[in-house]
Amino acid sequence: MKTITTRIAAALGGLVLAGGVHAEEGKLYLFNWTEYMDPEIIEAFEQKYDVEVVQNYFNSLPEMLAKLNAGGVSQYDIIVPSNYYVPRLIETGLVQPLDHAKLANLDNLKEQFRDPSFDPDNKYSAAYQWGTTGIIYNGETFPDGPKSWSLLFDPKVNASYPFALMGDGQVSIGAACAYLGHGYDCTSVDAWKEAAKLLIDTKGRDTFSGFVDGTPALQQLARGVTHASLSYNGDYLYFKEEDPEAFKNIKFMIPDEGTEMWVDSMMIPAEAPNPDMAHKFIDFILDAEVGAQLSNYNYYSSPNAAAEPYLDEVLTKPPVQPTEEDMARLKFTPSLKGQDLQTFNQLWNEVQAR
């Protein structure tokens, strides 16, 4: 996502098809998160199928949805949304069912990704990568933890050091719900209201530095701007491997109260110009060695069981592969619609405005 890797600013984000460029034959149009694809995988696919892959990028799920509604539904062949947007895309008719007969490698997916709650029987989607959202913090500032959301929400635990929360409303309200004992995947309006009040109170603390998303949160932490925040396990590991000195004291943890497990999936828009090639691309990514290459490139977990023998060792243990205990604490962000979605958005808007 979550599903949201933004290691490099999306300077190319504006080069979108919806701006007037029309799909052409012999090309596959991929609409993906920024810096979420190994260029060598694209080159190998282009050579195998004698096709040119045109990549366009989005930085948020609302941006992706807006582009689809503005004409992208007939101009992109592959999109990569996060799990809680999948039902919205299906219900609004923006995506088409997958032809499983064209996906020989679909069985490579781990059992937990073969029949996900957000898309039963993988009728419309196939998992691309998965990961977790957790707390990142300065280990020197907080040498004893705690392994809890209290590091962000309890002023007694952190009375003096600046901290941030995440700009994704469902993540921040989910975190507050988990801390309050309602579970990360809470859907009760009363629980949301209590969580929103906690977030408003948290915003009022002198040490609150704002809502900051994954990569900028890591950069702020490394510079000492903040001492605790939220980010994604893959981004955390990427930065730690790339600059071990700057990140030597930065830790990542999954709170004992629970947090988000997200899955980014490949889907085909309803009016994709090249759906046959789109199926070939999905099947290519689901290949065992290609699936491992993708995870080895971006440091996120592979949903591909057949890829496991080819994964770098660092991807087989925390933080990329959570412990069994932490896996049991992970929940999908709920997919909201109708009145529930409207109520949630009203509460989140109030949190942001106060």
Side-chain angles (χ1 to χ4, degrees):
M1 165 181 294
K2 222 143 215 165
T3 66
I4 305 176
T5 50
T6 51
R7 297 179 198 153
I8 299 176
L12 298 178
L15 300 180
V16 294
L17 296 174
V21 180
H22 297 288
E24 299 177 19
E25 292 184 7
K27 294 185 178 182
L28 177 84
Y29 291 90
L30 171 63
F31 197 27
N32 200 356
W33 298 96
T34 307
E35 286 298 300
Y36 207 20
M37 171 59 72
D38 184 348
E40 293 184 4
I41 290 177
I42 296 297
E43 292 174 9
F45 181 80
E46 289 177 327
Q47 291 177 6
K48 182 173 182 176
Y49 291 105
D50 190 26
V51 65
E52 179 186 352
V53 177
V54 180
Q55 297 187 76
N56 296 273
Y57 308 97
F58 57 87
N59 287 307
S60 71
L61 293 167
E63 178 188 350
M64 178 208 68
L65 184 61
K67 298 280 175 62
L68 291 178
N69 283 320
V73 70
S74 63
Q75 296 168 319
Y76 300 119
D77 295 302
I78 296 284
I79 56 174
V80 190
S82 299
N83 48 280
Y84 65 101
Y85 259 63
V86 169
R88 294 185 202 178
L89 295 168
I90 295 171
E91 290 163 8
T92 53
L94 291 172
V95 290
Q96 61 180 270
L98 299 178
D99 184 347
H100 286 199
K102 296 180 178 180
L103 300 175
N105 291 324
L106 190 63
D107 287 343
N108 284 346
L109 289 176
K110 295 179 182 179
E111 185 175 351
Q112 69 195 97
F113 300 106
R114 289 190 189 179
D115 186 27
S117 59
F118 53 85
D119 180 25
D121 299 321
N122 296 106
K123 185 175 180 181
Y124 290 86
S125 68
Y128 178 79
Q129 295 277 263
W130 72 275
T132 62
T133 303
I135 296 177
I136 49 172
Y137 65 99
N138 188 311
E140 284 190 327
T141 307
F142 305 106
D144 301 318
K147 196 169 179 288
S148 167
W149 288 112
S150 63
L151 192 62
L152 300 176
F153 293 123
D154 189 344
K156 295 179 182 177
V157 173
N158 175 19
S160 306
Y161 297 96
F163 67 97
L165 292 172
M166 189 165 275
D168 186 316
Q170 287 201 247
V171 172
S172 284
I173 286 185
C177 276
Y179 173 69
L180 292 167
H182 302 304
Y184 175 85
D185 55 347
C186 64
T187 55
S188 159
V189 173
D190 288 340
W192 289 345
K193 288 180 178 179
E194 189 178 350
K197 183 180 184 304
L198 174 61
L199 289 170
I200 291 169
D201 291 343
T202 300
K203 282 183 63 180
R205 288 161 54 187
D206 291 340
T207 50
F208 177 68
S209 65
F211 292 102
V212 185
D213 288 327
T215 297
L218 282 159
Q219 295 167 336
Q220 288 187 0
L221 205 63
R223 297 196 307 268
V225 176
T226 58
H227 290 250
S229 193
L230 282 83
S231 193
Y232 311 106
N233 56 344
D235 274 9
Y236 163 77
L237 182 61
Y238 172 82
F239 275 91
K240 197 170 182 68
E241 293 282 314
E242 288 292 304
D243 193 350
E245 180 61 28
F247 286 85
K248 65 179 179 180
N249 296 318
I250 308 303
K251 310 293 183 183
F252 178 94
M253 64 127 157
I254 292 174
D256 285 344
E257 300 95 338
T259 188
E260 174 189 33
M261 171 183 174
W262 50 263
V263 183
D264 290 335
S265 296
M266 296 173 284
M267 304 184 80
I268 304 176
E271 300 173 29
N274 200 343
D276 184 62
M277 191 60 67
H279 280 87
K280 289 181 170 63
F281 183 83
I282 292 173
D283 203 52
F284 188 77
I285 296 299
L286 294 176
D287 173 81
E289 293 190 42
V290 175
Q293 183 180 346
L294 179 62
S295 286
N296 291 338
Y297 171 79
N298 63 33
Y299 291 85
Y300 279 107
S301 302
S302 176
N304 192 327
E308 289 183 351
Y310 307 102
L311 292 173
D312 292 343
E313 183 181 358
V314 71
L315 303 183
T316 65
K317 55 189 179 182
V320 174
Q321 179 57 53
T323 65
E324 288 187 16
E325 293 81 4
D326 281 340
M327 280 295 295
R329 300 181 175 108
L330 300 177
K331 303 292 183 182
F332 285 134
T333 294
S335 299
L336 304 177
K337 62 181 179 179
Q339 184 58 50
D340 284 343
L341 179 59
Q342 183 176 343
T343 299
F344 182 90
N345 286 337
Q346 289 173 344
L347 288 169
W348 178 240
N349 288 337
E350 185 175 352
V351 169
Q352 293 178 300
R354 295 279 288 274

